[in-house]
Amino acid sequence: MGPLQKKHLIITGLIILAGIFPFINQNDYWLHILTLSFIWMIAVYGLNLLAGYTGYLSLAHAGFFAIGAYSLGLLTVKAGINYWAALVLSCVITSVIGFLIGLISLRTREHFFAIYTLCVGYVIYLVIDKWDSLTGGVRGLIGIPAPSNIGPLSFESTLSQYYLVLFFLLATIFVMYRIVHSLSGRTFIAIRNSEELAGTIGISTMKNKLVVFVLSTFFAGLAGALYASFIRFIGPDIGYTTVIFDLLTYLLVGGIGTLAGPVVGTMLIVSVSQSLQFLQDYRMLIFGPLLTLIIIFYPRGIVGFFSDWYRKRQSTKLQSQKKKQVKSNMDDEDLHEDRVKEG
Amino acid sequence: MFIETKELTKQFGGLAAVKNVDFAIEKGKINAIIGPNGAGKSTFFNLVSGSYRPTSGQVFYKGENITNLPSNKIAKLGVSRTFQTTNLFEQATVLDNVIVGHRLRTQSNLLDAVLRTKRYKREEKQCRDKAMEVLDFTGLTHITDQLAGSITQEEKKRVAFALALATDPEVVFLDEPAAGINPGETEGLAELMKKMVKKGITVCLIEHKMQMVMKLAEKIMVLNYGEKIAEGTADEVMSNKKVIKAYLGGDASA
Ligand SMILES: Nc1ncnc2c1ncn2[C@@H]1O[C@H](COP(=O)(O)OP(=O)(O)OP(=O)(O)O)[C@@H](O)[C@H]1O
Ligand SMILES: [Mg+2]
């Protein structure tokens, strides 16, 4: 079996596992935690495309998550729009705001970009927190409806919401996979590698960065909107800076710039933090050093570590195979001298 | 005129890295720019290829004023370059490094990529074929699947050449291609440059290795403290008093 088939097998297995999980585990609490994790993963994928593949570490994405959530909340609760229309609109609103912010913030780079977007994120939080008449301020927004029925499909139960969110997660991963393994993905990676070089091989860096930025805010907005309709209540704190650091932790632990990173990191941190719940906020005493160690020793996270390890194993295998081949060629040499020369 | 600069000047604060340089690059030839360290050679490249905006002066390419075009647009017109320090993506294979070099000749967008449209598939193949073609041209077919971080310095230089060639350029600017490699390998790179010219690609290189320049270049410009102090064939340049002075360490700016 080739490495590609192995990969496909693992992926299919995981999808099936996610599909039958509710039947294995009848505990609603875990279903709830898992659904929430899926929602975070969607946002982390958006962040990964920008920070991991294009090299722009945005710290504003909790803000975009909140914009998505509040758009959905306000559109359904205050404007009374149909849920699905509101969901689409929320993503569009987030993307449009993302476009405007990207237009300005992408003029900065590296640390300056990170600091700038951190400020942008905080401003978004403040706007939500202080714009009482629109957002309800610190009181938050309550009574957000669950997704409305599509024909016979109803999304009132935890179980149906689990599948709905899983569907969006799989769609997100599919889109990411296609993008990363495409000429566009190569273009983004070229920008991450060296913007100067990318420019001289004819890549319009600003245009491409803007496309990625908007796309990544789209996914943050989608995640936010799903969050709002899943939790049914939102407050300004979902846009607070701690949220972006959570997302970033998931990404860094799982593996920034890897396709499986967001899933691995989110699952790991969420489950560890669930089992360490008795420690409350002291959990950070464990996560802090852990994160530091991972960044120092495995800059591409757990997934990066495994893929490096796998590649090394593969190449040593290849080399020993080659050695064997050379040896057998040498044995043949006397008999087929011309043929070896041609080869 | 193929490429022409007029009174090209770049000021870094108080320092004029390039000062009033008029130079014409001749089509179908190997042109060279030489000069002591810090003479402004790389800066000159950066001005022509659009990486820097000049403080004053103009750059013309095939009669068109490209002075204020961004580097990606200049690349699309057919001007390509390599850098003094190679900046390949070391964690990717040689092939993956080069494929993206042909991206500028393709149209497909994100939607094409997600839907894997016909256009996308055709262009993906086009980029791959182009990469294989230039890797063959630069003599790298045997290492296409190796990581760019694991190959030799000389091979890295060749990959940088291949990447520049993948853009389908009419002219390539090579910034010290032979820096840090041994004489035998330098010979190989010189052959490669000749091969490029034979294929109809104009070459302009910066080089410290005098012997290589003298043998290869048909037209040479000498820069010193940002100013052009001589221009002409190898013999003409070598017999120029200012050049001798600059290279023997005298104060040529006097
Ligand atoms: N971005 C920059 N900012 C400020 N000064 C610069 C910049 N780039 C180059 N310089 C200065 O301009 C002068 C010319 O530099 P340049 O790199 O063009 O020289 P060079 O001829 O390529 O030298 P070398 O042979 O060492 O590569 C130098 O004094 C350098 O310090
Ligand atoms: Mg230089």
Side-chain angles (χ1 to χ4, degrees):
Chain A
M1 200 162 47
L4 204 68
Q5 275 123 337
K6 243 188 231 170
K7 221 181 196 172
H8 284 169
L9 205 71
I10 294 174
I11 292 169
T12 320
L14 282 176
I15 293 174
I16 292 174
L17 184 67
I20 59 169
F21 177 83
F23 300 100
I24 304 170
N25 186 315
Q26 306 278 351
N27 186 335
D28 246 19
Y29 177 73
W30 273 104
L31 212 55
H32 184 92
I33 295 291
L34 215 53
T35 310
L36 254 184
S37 305
F38 291 171
I39 291 173
W40 293 127
M41 284 175 203
I42 294 174
V44 177
Y45 269 108
L47 191 62
N48 192 25
L49 192 66
L50 182 63
Y53 287 97
T54 319
Y56 276 74
L57 178 60
S58 164
L59 298 179
H61 271 53
F64 292 113
F65 182 88
I67 290 176
Y70 269 90
S71 300
L72 186 104
L74 293 172
L75 286 172
T76 50
V77 174
K78 294 212 171 166
I81 293 178
N82 167 276
Y83 174 83
W84 298 102
L87 182 67
V88 173
L89 267 176
S90 306
C91 295
V92 171
I93 291 170
T94 316
S95 306
V96 169
I97 296 174
F99 174 80
L100 297 175
I101 289 172
L103 217 49
I104 304 164
S105 60
L106 287 168
R107 293 181 187 281
T108 61
R109 282 187 197 185
E110 293 171 5
H111 308 82
F112 300 101
F113 180 81
I115 293 166
Y116 186 89
T117 48
L118 181 66
C119 297
V120 168
Y122 193 67
V123 169
I124 294 174
Y125 161 76
L126 280 182
V127 168
I128 292 173
D129 191 54
K130 304 292 176 223
W131 195 349
D132 222 87
S133 56
L134 181 74
T135 63
V138 283
R139 279 168 290 120
L141 209 60
I142 51 170
I144 301 166
S148 53
N149 297 0
I150 308 179
L153 287 177
S154 137
F155 296 100
E156 285 292 338
S157 68
T158 321
L159 184 69
S160 57
Q161 292 209 356
Y162 170 86
Y163 283 116
L164 180 71
V165 172
L166 178 62
F167 165 79
F168 278 111
L169 174 64
L170 291 178
T172 303
I173 296 175
F174 174 77
V175 168
M176 288 298 162
Y177 179 88
R178 284 258 164 121
I179 290 175
V180 168
H181 293 98
S182 77
L183 292 175
S184 299
R186 290 175 188 281
T187 311
F188 306 152
I189 293 171
I191 291 173
R192 175 187 71 187
N193 181 40
S194 159
E195 230 167 287
E196 196 181 21
L197 181 62
T200 62
I201 56 171
I203 292 168
S204 169
T205 49
M206 190 60 194
K207 195 182 108 192
N208 279 285
K209 288 185 311 194
L210 199 56
V211 166
V212 176
F213 193 88
V214 171
L215 201 64
S216 79
T217 58
F218 173 92
F219 284 106
L222 172 65
L226 290 173
Y227 177 91
S229 58
F230 179 60
I231 301 291
R232 317 284 284 270
F233 161 80
I234 48 176
D237 53 334
I238 58 166
Y240 197 61
T241 340
T242 45
V243 172
I244 183 63
F245 287 116
D246 281 345
L247 297 179
L248 207 56
T249 309
Y250 300 159
L251 183 57
L252 287 172
V253 169
I256 188 165
T258 67
L259 259 179
V263 171
V264 173
T266 311
M267 281 317 295
L268 192 77
I269 299 285
V270 168
S271 45
V272 170
S273 111
Q274 281 298 320
S275 45
L276 294 181
Q277 218 155 32
F278 63 96
L279 289 175
Q280 293 166 347
D281 276 351
Y282 293 109
R283 277 178 292 182
M284 287 304 146
L285 288 178
I286 294 175
F287 286 136
L290 185 77
L291 190 63
T292 316
L293 288 178
I294 285 184
I295 291 173
I296 292 172
F297 293 107
Y298 307 116
R300 284 172 63 240
I302 294 169
V303 174
F305 166 73
F306 275 109
S307 70
D308 286 350
W309 171 79
Y310 186 76
R311 197 193 316 236
K312 244 181 231 152
R313 213 187 58 165
Q314 225 43 25
S315 76
T316 46
K317 245 192 216 168
L318 216 71
Q319 259 161 12
S320 62
Q321 253 169 21
K322 263 188 197 158
K323 258 184 212 152
K324 267 185 215 155
Q325 229 159 30
V326 169
K327 208 164 159 250
S328 68
N329 273 353
M330 280 203 293
D331 296 342
D332 289 352
E333 206 158 25
D334 306 327
L335 303 172
H336 311 281
E337 215 172 335
D338 321 323
R339 229 184 42 203
V340 173
K341 263 184 198 158
E342 269 169 37
Chain B
M1 263 309 137
F2 189 53
I3 292 185
E4 208 176 2
T5 66
K6 286 207 177 117
E7 297 184 5
L8 199 61
T9 300
K10 180 68 184 180
Q11 200 89 29
F12 287 118
L15 173 88
V18 169
K19 210 192 285 173
N20 292 324
V21 173
D22 293 298
F23 186 53
I25 289 164
E26 291 181 19
K27 193 174 164 70
K29 290 187 179 168
I30 296 185
N31 302 261
I33 299 173
I34 60 172
N37 284 111
K41 307 179 294 291
S42 297
T43 306
F44 182 80
F45 266 27
N46 285 327
L47 291 173
V48 175
S49 65
S51 294
Y52 291 164
R53 283 277 146 89
T55 310
S56 63
Q58 287 106 39
V59 184
F60 293 91
Y61 174 63
K62 298 203 283 194
E64 186 184 341
N65 188 341
I66 59 165
T67 316
N68 288 316
L69 287 187
S71 61
N72 63 306
K73 294 225 167 101
I74 293 179
K76 273 196 187 133
L77 292 175
V79 180
S80 184
R81 69 168 295 184
T82 65
F83 289 87
Q84 192 162 348
T85 47
T86 49
N87 40 11
L88 301 173
F89 180 34
E90 310 231 316
Q91 284 82 39
T93 66
V94 168
L95 180 64
D96 281 334
N97 264 280
V98 177
I99 285 178
V100 75
H102 201 59
R103 173 71 171 136
L104 79 171
R105 305 289 172 215
T106 63
Q107 249 90 58
S108 61
N109 53 32
L110 267 182
L111 205 64
D112 289 300
V114 173
L115 301 176
R116 288 292 191 266
T117 59
K118 254 194 198 137
R119 170 166 82 167
Y120 176 79
K121 284 182 185 149
R122 186 185 56 210
E123 291 186 345
E124 155 108 51
K125 183 171 181 316
Q126 182 188 334
C127 289
R128 206 166 270 277
D129 290 348
K130 179 50 102 183
M132 287 315 283
E133 176 196 322
V134 293
L135 286 169
D136 180 48
F137 186 83
T138 48
L140 296 170
T141 28
H142 60 293
I143 56 161
T144 50
D145 291 332
Q146 286 185 28
L147 292 188
S150 71
I151 60 179
T152 68
Q153 193 59 31
E154 185 240 4
E155 285 165 341
K156 280 184 189 167
K157 297 273 180 185
R158 282 175 184 265
V159 177
F161 276 37
L163 182 57
L165 291 173
T167 64
D168 276 343
E170 287 186 47
V171 54
V172 286
F173 287 83
L174 307 168
D175 197 342
E176 300 203 23
I181 61 174
N182 69 40
E185 294 168 338
T186 307
E187 198 60 42
L189 283 189
E191 285 306 316
L192 186 53
M193 283 179 230
K194 283 187 203 155
K195 206 166 127 191
M196 282 157 65
V197 171
K198 243 187 232 147
K199 214 183 149 199
I201 298 167
T202 305
V203 172
C204 182
L205 82 149
I206 290 177
E207 196 45 77
H208 270 306
K209 295 185 177 162
M210 279 306 225
Q211 267 186 328
M212 179 178 182
V213 175
M214 293 305 156
K215 258 200 295 188
L216 269 180
E218 293 163 86
K219 181 174 184 183
I220 299 170
M221 163 167 79
V222 187
L223 286 181
N224 193 27
Y225 294 110
E227 285 180 280
K228 179 174 89 177
I229 57 170
E231 174 179 359
T233 62
D235 291 336
E236 283 166 7
V237 165
M238 279 318 272
S239 55
N240 186 307
K241 278 205 187 99
K242 277 192 198 163
V243 176
I244 295 168
K245 230 178 168 180
Y247 267 88
L248 292 183
D251 190 353
S253 63

